[in-house]
């Protein structure tokens, strides 16, 4: 099965009317898409109670891809990698926060996206082994941002390593802009799950990290129908290797992710979780809960 969704749920104006409150957006989102990427977990380990609320307030059809906390992936370059209490305490807190999603079968994958300076070295291979050991019992996806992992001399070894260590491959569509980007490698490393992340193809924006407005332009890209059609064939190929393909559109600097995701669902002839065609207009308000019945006893 191919599941289409978006990175985050708060900033996709196409899905919400002006009166939809922030606390209700995930409920509305779940009518449109069957999977969502949680990116707030990258910036801070989320309270377990928050995950429990997200699970309780959404239908069982919604799956979560959760980005690993940045302290676990080495994004805080030049700063200590651990939180108070040490490395194991950090992992324990992160794993504990995910329990509501894991226990209900709603956790599609934990995404470990490593930074552009995380290159293919013996030391970093050991980091990945240790990380996978700490995350035992959780489905974990691996995404590189340094081209060395898929250089001709290491490509097959990288894929074999991921299979041996039970890493789900996060296949990327992104600009080819030097060593800080990776090619699209259409290979599954897990027979059950493969993750696909659609970052857009804005090469100039991709290289703007560090600029004051880099977040506004990095993912500024709208896929054409021809590009989406090519990816429809790619997804069908991946589905022959993996049972569930989770596709996350991350090209939202200009608000294009939701529209492109709906176009992809149309190309795949899929209905939204609410049973409507992805392009059909909807009431943007969340469904009201029935009034609580008074109990006389």
């Amino acid at each position: 099965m191919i599941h289409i969704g978006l990175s985050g749920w708060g900033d996709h104006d196409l899905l919400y009317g002006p009166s939809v409150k922030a606390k209700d957006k995930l409920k509305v989102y779940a009518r449109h898409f069957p999977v969502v990427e949680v990116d707030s977990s990258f910036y801070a380990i989320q309270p377990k109670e928050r995950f429990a609320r997200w699970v309780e307030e959404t239908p069982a059809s919604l799956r979560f891809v959760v980005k690993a906390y940045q302290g676990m992936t080495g994004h805080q370059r030049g700063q200590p990698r651990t939180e108070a209490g040490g490395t194991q305490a950090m992992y324990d807190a992160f794993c504990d926060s995910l329990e509501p999603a894991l226990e209900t079968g709603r956790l599609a994958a934990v995404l470990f996206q490593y930074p552009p300076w995380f290159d293919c070295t013996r030391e970093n291979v050991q980091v990945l082994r240790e990380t996978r050991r700490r995350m035992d019992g959780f489905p974990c996806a691996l995404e590189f941002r340094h081209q060395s992992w898929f250089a001709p001399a290491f490509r097959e070894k990288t894929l074999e390593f991921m299979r041996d260590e039970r890493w789900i491959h996060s296949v990327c569509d992104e600009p080819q802009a030097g060593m800080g980007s990776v090619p699209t490698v259409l290979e599954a490393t897990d027979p059950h799950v493969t993750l696909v992340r659609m970052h857009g193809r804005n090469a100039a924006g991709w290289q703007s990290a560090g600029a004051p407005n880099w977040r506004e332009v990095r993912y500024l890209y709208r896929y054409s129908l021809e590009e989406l059609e090519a990816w429809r064939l790619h997804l069908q190929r991946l589905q022959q290797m993996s049972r569930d393909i989770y596709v996350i559109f991350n090209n939202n600097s200009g608000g294009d992710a939701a529209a492109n995701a709906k176009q992809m669902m149309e190309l795949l002839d899929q209905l939204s979780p609410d049973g409507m065609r992805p392009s059909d207009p909807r009431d943007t308000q969340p469904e009201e809960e029935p009034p609580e019945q008074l109990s006389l006893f």
Side-chain angles (χ1 to χ4, degrees):
M1 182 69 179
I2 299 172
H3 314 265
I4 309 294
L6 310 176
S7 177
W9 60 83
D11 299 327
H12 306 288
D13 295 340
L14 178 66
L15 308 181
Y16 314 115
S19 60
V20 175
K21 298 177 181 178
K23 68 180 182 65
D24 293 323
K25 285 187 173 181
L26 183 58
K27 300 176 190 177
V28 176
Y29 175 98
R31 299 182 193 172
H32 295 266
F33 300 108
V35 60
V36 67
E37 181 178 292
V38 179
D39 50 14
S40 56
S41 53
F42 174 78
Y43 301 100
I45 296 175
Q46 300 298 301
K48 183 176 183 178
E49 294 75 19
R50 186 167 298 162
F51 267 101
R53 185 172 72 250
W54 290 337
V55 168
E56 291 167 2
E57 292 182 349
T58 54
S61 59
L62 185 67
R63 297 292 185 270
F64 297 91
V65 173
V66 182
K67 284 193 76 172
Y69 173 55
Q70 60 184 332
M72 298 155 60
T73 51
H75 277 81
Q76 299 166 316
R77 187 161 59 171
Q79 302 178 31
R81 291 189 57 192
T82 60
E83 301 293 287
T87 301
Q88 190 57 51
M90 174 174 59
Y91 275 86
D92 289 345
F94 181 76
C95 291
D96 184 63
S97 74
L98 301 178
E99 284 297 332
L102 181 69
E103 292 174 351
T104 55
R106 306 277 297 279
L107 181 65
V110 181
L111 170 62
F112 281 79
Q113 181 195 68
Y114 284 87
W117 53 87
F118 189 84
D119 55 351
C120 186
T121 65
R122 184 171 299 177
E123 178 185 16
N124 286 337
V125 168
Q126 188 55 39
V127 168
L128 295 177
R129 283 199 174 98
E130 182 65 16
T131 297
R132 196 65 191 89
R133 184 189 66 79
R134 293 182 189 276
M135 294 298 298
D136 189 40
F138 290 83
C140 292
L142 179 56
E143 180 173 327
F144 297 113
R145 281 285 172 87
H146 195 281
Q147 225 173 68
S148 59
W149 295 94
F150 293 120
F154 294 110
R155 181 184 185 275
E156 294 306 320
K157 293 179 180 178
T158 294
L159 293 170
E160 182 180 1
F161 166 79
M162 293 171 70
R163 293 185 181 102
D164 290 344
E165 295 292 320
R166 297 173 294 111
W167 282 106
I168 295 165
H169 186 198
S170 177
V171 180
C172 296
D173 184 89
E174 62 190 40
Q176 296 307 290
M179 293 303 290
S181 60
V182 296
T184 297
V185 178
L186 295 174
E187 294 288 345
T189 58
D190 184 285
H192 305 292
V193 176
T194 294
L195 182 62
V196 175
R197 298 182 79 230
M198 307 290 287
H199 297 302
R201 300 176 182 179
N202 183 352
W206 197 259
Q207 296 175 320
S208 67
N213 66 336
W214 73 273
R215 291 185 184 279
E216 299 172 17
V217 300
R218 185 174 176 85
Y219 303 107
L220 183 59
Y221 191 81
R222 190 179 187 96
Y223 286 96
S224 68
L225 280 174
E226 291 77 13
E227 290 167 335
L228 294 176
E229 174 60 27
W231 260 103
R232 180 184 69 85
L233 300 177
H234 293 337
L235 295 177
Q236 290 174 340
R237 173 180 168 181
L238 287 170
Q239 196 175 27
Q240 296 176 9
M241 311 176 201
S242 214
R243 182 190 63 207
D244 289 303
I245 313 296
Y246 292 97
V247 184
I248 300 296
F249 280 83
N250 191 38
N251 57 319
N252 204 50
S253 291
D256 295 310
N260 275 161
K262 285 176 174 287
Q263 287 176 306
M264 180 60 79
M265 292 176 72
E266 295 275 1
L267 289 174
L268 292 167
D269 198 26
Q270 293 183 347
L271 296 178
S272 298
D274 62 4
M276 299 176 67
R277 298 291 302 181
S279 58
D280 288 344
R282 291 168 169 80
D283 177 7
T284 58
Q285 294 298 323
E287 296 179 4
E288 293 186 5
E289 297 182 1
E292 184 177 350
Q293 298 294 318
L294 294 176
S295 176
L296 300 179
F297 303 97

